[in-house]
Amino acid sequence: MSLRFLILAGLVWLPARTTTLQHLTLEEMAVKSTDIVRGHVQRGKALWHGSQLFTHYLVFVSDRWKGMGGPVVDLALQGGVADGLRQVWAGTPELQAGRDYVLFLQRTPSGLNLIIGLSQGLFEVDTKAGQAVQASTNEAIVNRKGAEMAAAPLRMNVAELRRCVQRAVAEVR
């Protein structure tokens, strides 16, 4: 066997790297977000940004809770499939076209709109029940001191979520 084969075979047995998320409270996400919108997600298309793939979704905004922008937001999620290549980022949530979400967004200096705290800033809306449910994650979550913690996804009435966001944003002004 060649040395190259042994090295490659050894890499297969290494544990997969995962993402560790620092827990963000609803108030922290509201304050740190550049935009918070409720909207309907449509189609995703993977595009290269340098050597990294991002899947872009169009979000048709039905209600803007924070930020100044138009009726459509270009949301980018790390990873995707393009040119026969796939990039996967641990902790990146998955969106489904046709669904309604509340999105806590952070605009990067290059202009990409990312979900804050990866899955933490994503709430799926059950329009029939009027409920918003925070995306769950399998990634490790730590508190401010770096200790692992269990964090159950938030579930609340959409109107109450909006009031909490507005209250947190108003306190900072």
mmCIF file of all heavy atoms in Angstrom, residues 86-107:
data_model
loop_
_atom_site.group_PDB
_atom_site.id
_atom_site.type_symbol
_atom_site.label_atom_id
_atom_site.label_comp_id
_atom_site.label_asym_id
_atom_site.label_seq_id
_atom_site.Cartn_x
_atom_site.Cartn_y
_atom_site.Cartn_z
ATOM 1 N N ARG A 86 -20.631 19.658 -4.202
ATOM 2 C CA ARG A 86 -21.496 19.906 -3.045
ATOM 3 C C ARG A 86 -20.643 20.381 -1.878
ATOM 4 O O ARG A 86 -19.620 19.784 -1.564
ATOM 5 C CB ARG A 86 -22.223 18.634 -2.648
ATOM 6 C CG ARG A 86 -23.052 18.773 -1.375
ATOM 7 C CD ARG A 86 -23.577 17.459 -0.848
ATOM 8 N NE ARG A 86 -24.814 16.968 -1.396
ATOM 9 C CZ ARG A 86 -25.994 17.563 -1.316
ATOM 10 N NH1 ARG A 86 -26.098 18.729 -0.759
ATOM 11 N NH2 ARG A 86 -27.063 17.001 -1.808
ATOM 12 N N GLN A 87 -21.086 21.469 -1.244
ATOM 13 C CA GLN A 87 -20.473 21.931 -0.001
ATOM 14 C C GLN A 87 -21.542 21.884 1.076
ATOM 15 O O GLN A 87 -22.675 22.316 0.855
ATOM 16 C CB GLN A 87 -19.948 23.361 -0.122
ATOM 17 C CG GLN A 87 -18.662 23.489 -0.870
ATOM 18 C CD GLN A 87 -18.095 24.902 -0.819
ATOM 19 O OE1 GLN A 87 -18.735 25.838 -0.359
ATOM 20 N NE2 GLN A 87 -16.883 25.055 -1.312
ATOM 21 N N VAL A 88 -21.170 21.348 2.237
ATOM 22 C CA VAL A 88 -22.087 21.247 3.366
ATOM 23 C C VAL A 88 -21.458 21.939 4.559
ATOM 24 O O VAL A 88 -20.273 21.726 4.843
ATOM 25 C CB VAL A 88 -22.369 19.761 3.715
ATOM 26 C CG1 VAL A 88 -23.271 19.647 4.920
ATOM 27 C CG2 VAL A 88 -22.964 19.042 2.515
ATOM 28 N N TRP A 89 -22.230 22.759 5.234
ATOM 29 C CA TRP A 89 -21.776 23.436 6.451
ATOM 30 C C TRP A 89 -22.610 22.918 7.612
ATOM 31 O O TRP A 89 -23.842 23.032 7.608
ATOM 32 C CB TRP A 89 -21.987 24.945 6.335
ATOM 33 C CG TRP A 89 -21.057 25.638 5.411
ATOM 34 C CD1 TRP A 89 -20.865 25.393 4.090
ATOM 35 C CD2 TRP A 89 -20.179 26.708 5.737
ATOM 36 N NE1 TRP A 89 -19.944 26.248 3.572
ATOM 37 C CE2 TRP A 89 -19.510 27.069 4.564
ATOM 38 C CE3 TRP A 89 -19.917 27.408 6.909
ATOM 39 C CZ2 TRP A 89 -18.577 28.100 4.523
ATOM 40 C CZ3 TRP A 89 -18.996 28.438 6.865
ATOM 41 C CH2 TRP A 89 -18.333 28.764 5.693
ATOM 42 N N ALA A 90 -21.947 22.368 8.604
ATOM 43 C CA ALA A 90 -22.658 21.893 9.789
ATOM 44 C C ALA A 90 -23.361 23.063 10.450
ATOM 45 O O ALA A 90 -22.829 24.161 10.551
ATOM 46 C CB ALA A 90 -21.673 21.255 10.769
ATOM 47 N N GLY A 91 -24.588 22.820 10.887
ATOM 48 C CA GLY A 91 -25.352 23.844 11.587
ATOM 49 C C GLY A 91 -26.179 24.743 10.691
ATOM 50 O O GLY A 91 -26.988 25.522 11.178
ATOM 51 N N THR A 92 -25.990 24.641 9.376
ATOM 52 C CA THR A 92 -26.778 25.460 8.466
ATOM 53 C C THR A 92 -28.167 24.850 8.339
ATOM 54 O O THR A 92 -28.297 23.670 8.026
ATOM 55 C CB THR A 92 -26.111 25.553 7.085
ATOM 56 O OG1 THR A 92 -24.838 26.177 7.229
ATOM 57 C CG2 THR A 92 -26.957 26.360 6.117
ATOM 58 N N PRO A 93 -29.202 25.643 8.569
ATOM 59 C CA PRO A 93 -30.558 25.092 8.467
ATOM 60 C C PRO A 93 -30.956 24.854 7.013
ATOM 61 O O PRO A 93 -30.315 25.353 6.093
ATOM 62 C CB PRO A 93 -31.422 26.197 9.081
ATOM 63 C CG PRO A 93 -30.657 27.449 8.832
ATOM 64 C CD PRO A 93 -29.203 27.057 8.916
ATOM 65 N N GLU A 94 -32.019 24.104 6.843
ATOM 66 C CA GLU A 94 -32.565 23.870 5.510
ATOM 67 C C GLU A 94 -33.892 24.597 5.401
ATOM 68 O O GLU A 94 -34.694 24.590 6.327
ATOM 69 C CB GLU A 94 -32.773 22.376 5.279
ATOM 70 C CG GLU A 94 -31.469 21.613 5.187
ATOM 71 C CD GLU A 94 -31.675 20.152 4.829
ATOM 72 O OE1 GLU A 94 -32.676 19.843 4.141
ATOM 73 O OE2 GLU A 94 -30.846 19.348 5.244
ATOM 74 N N LEU A 95 -34.108 25.235 4.264
ATOM 75 C CA LEU A 95 -35.371 25.922 4.009
ATOM 76 C C LEU A 95 -36.152 25.158 2.965
ATOM 77 O O LEU A 95 -35.569 24.510 2.099
ATOM 78 C CB LEU A 95 -35.119 27.342 3.493
ATOM 79 C CG LEU A 95 -34.402 28.293 4.432
ATOM 80 C CD1 LEU A 95 -34.232 29.649 3.771
ATOM 81 C CD2 LEU A 95 -35.141 28.439 5.736
ATOM 82 N N GLN A 96 -37.453 25.267 3.037
ATOM 83 C CA GLN A 96 -38.306 24.630 2.043
ATOM 84 C C GLN A 96 -39.060 25.709 1.297
ATOM 85 O O GLN A 96 -39.735 26.542 1.917
ATOM 86 C CB GLN A 96 -39.271 23.664 2.717
ATOM 87 C CG GLN A 96 -38.561 22.481 3.335
ATOM 88 C CD GLN A 96 -39.542 21.474 3.899
ATOM 89 O OE1 GLN A 96 -40.714 21.475 3.568
ATOM 90 N NE2 GLN A 96 -39.049 20.605 4.753
ATOM 91 N N ALA A 97 -38.929 25.698 -0.014
ATOM 92 C CA ALA A 97 -39.645 26.658 -0.849
ATOM 93 C C ALA A 97 -41.142 26.520 -0.595
ATOM 94 O O ALA A 97 -41.652 25.421 -0.410
ATOM 95 C CB ALA A 97 -39.322 26.427 -2.320
ATOM 96 N N GLY A 98 -41.812 27.659 -0.551
ATOM 97 C CA GLY A 98 -43.249 27.663 -0.334
ATOM 98 C C GLY A 98 -43.652 27.820 1.117
ATOM 99 O O GLY A 98 -44.835 27.973 1.416
ATOM 100 N N ARG A 99 -42.692 27.787 2.032
ATOM 101 C CA ARG A 99 -42.998 27.910 3.456
ATOM 102 C C ARG A 99 -42.824 29.351 3.931
ATOM 103 O O ARG A 99 -42.088 30.124 3.345
ATOM 104 C CB ARG A 99 -42.071 27.013 4.280
ATOM 105 C CG ARG A 99 -42.270 25.533 4.055
ATOM 106 C CD ARG A 99 -43.334 24.998 5.009
ATOM 107 N NE ARG A 99 -43.653 23.627 4.773
ATOM 108 C CZ ARG A 99 -43.214 22.619 5.503
ATOM 109 N NH1 ARG A 99 -42.398 22.823 6.499
ATOM 110 N NH2 ARG A 99 -43.602 21.390 5.231
ATOM 111 N N ASP A 100 -43.510 29.668 5.033
ATOM 112 C CA ASP A 100 -43.370 30.965 5.677
ATOM 113 C C ASP A 100 -42.424 30.843 6.857
ATOM 114 O O ASP A 100 -42.475 29.859 7.610
ATOM 115 C CB ASP A 100 -44.723 31.472 6.186
ATOM 116 C CG ASP A 100 -45.627 31.953 5.066
ATOM 117 O OD1 ASP A 100 -45.118 32.191 3.959
ATOM 118 O OD2 ASP A 100 -46.832 32.092 5.305
ATOM 119 N N TYR A 101 -41.576 31.861 7.011
ATOM 120 C CA TYR A 101 -40.591 31.885 8.089
ATOM 121 C C TYR A 101 -40.497 33.284 8.684
ATOM 122 O O TYR A 101 -40.796 34.276 8.017
ATOM 123 C CB TYR A 101 -39.197 31.516 7.560
ATOM 124 C CG TYR A 101 -39.069 30.119 7.025
ATOM 125 C CD1 TYR A 101 -39.227 29.846 5.677
ATOM 126 C CD2 TYR A 101 -38.767 29.059 7.878
ATOM 127 C CE1 TYR A 101 -39.099 28.564 5.179
ATOM 128 C CE2 TYR A 101 -38.639 27.766 7.386
ATOM 129 C CZ TYR A 101 -38.805 27.523 6.035
ATOM 130 O OH TYR A 101 -38.677 26.248 5.557
ATOM 131 N N VAL A 102 -40.039 33.347 9.922
ATOM 132 C CA VAL A 102 -39.538 34.581 10.506
ATOM 133 C C VAL A 102 -38.025 34.414 10.522
ATOM 134 O O VAL A 102 -37.508 33.409 11.025
ATOM 135 C CB VAL A 102 -40.081 34.836 11.934
ATOM 136 C CG1 VAL A 102 -39.388 36.033 12.570
ATOM 137 C CG2 VAL A 102 -41.586 35.044 11.900
ATOM 138 N N LEU A 103 -37.324 35.395 9.952
ATOM 139 C CA LEU A 103 -35.873 35.299 9.775
ATOM 140 C C LEU A 103 -35.171 36.458 10.468
ATOM 141 O O LEU A 103 -35.486 37.619 10.218
ATOM 142 C CB LEU A 103 -35.537 35.330 8.279
ATOM 143 C CG LEU A 103 -36.194 34.239 7.437
ATOM 144 C CD1 LEU A 103 -36.240 34.644 5.986
ATOM 145 C CD2 LEU A 103 -35.467 32.930 7.623
ATOM 146 N N PHE A 104 -34.244 36.121 11.338
ATOM 147 C CA PHE A 104 -33.374 37.101 11.983
ATOM 148 C C PHE A 104 -32.104 37.123 11.142
ATOM 149 O O PHE A 104 -31.344 36.157 11.133
ATOM 150 C CB PHE A 104 -33.064 36.683 13.420
ATOM 151 C CG PHE A 104 -34.242 36.761 14.353
ATOM 152 C CD1 PHE A 104 -35.300 35.872 14.264
ATOM 153 C CD2 PHE A 104 -34.287 37.742 15.333
ATOM 154 C CE1 PHE A 104 -36.380 35.946 15.125
ATOM 155 C CE2 PHE A 104 -35.363 37.836 16.197
ATOM 156 C CZ PHE A 104 -36.414 36.930 16.093
ATOM 157 N N LEU A 105 -31.892 38.215 10.435
ATOM 158 C CA LEU A 105 -30.818 38.277 9.445
ATOM 159 C C LEU A 105 -29.701 39.212 9.869
ATOM 160 O O LEU A 105 -29.933 40.200 10.567
ATOM 161 C CB LEU A 105 -31.378 38.746 8.103
ATOM 162 C CG LEU A 105 -32.525 37.919 7.536
ATOM 163 C CD1 LEU A 105 -33.088 38.574 6.294
ATOM 164 C CD2 LEU A 105 -32.075 36.498 7.254
ATOM 165 N N GLN A 106 -28.518 38.887 9.398
ATOM 166 C CA GLN A 106 -27.356 39.744 9.606
ATOM 167 C C GLN A 106 -26.689 39.944 8.250
ATOM 168 O O GLN A 106 -26.331 38.975 7.585
ATOM 169 C CB GLN A 106 -26.384 39.115 10.598
ATOM 170 C CG GLN A 106 -25.321 40.068 11.059
ATOM 171 C CD GLN A 106 -24.617 39.521 12.281
ATOM 172 O OE1 GLN A 106 -24.301 38.334 12.344
ATOM 173 N NE2 GLN A 106 -24.372 40.368 13.245
ATOM 174 N N ARG A 107 -26.579 41.197 7.840
ATOM 175 C CA ARG A 107 -25.964 41.520 6.553
ATOM 176 C C ARG A 107 -24.453 41.575 6.733
ATOM 177 O O ARG A 107 -23.939 42.260 7.609
ATOM 178 C CB ARG A 107 -26.482 42.857 6.025
ATOM 179 C CG ARG A 107 -26.144 43.104 4.565
ATOM 180 C CD ARG A 107 -26.835 44.334 3.992
ATOM 181 N NE ARG A 107 -28.281 44.319 4.210
ATOM 182 C CZ ARG A 107 -28.916 45.099 5.102
ATOM 183 N NH1 ARG A 107 -28.259 45.948 5.836
ATOM 184 N NH2 ARG A 107 -30.223 45.026 5.234
#
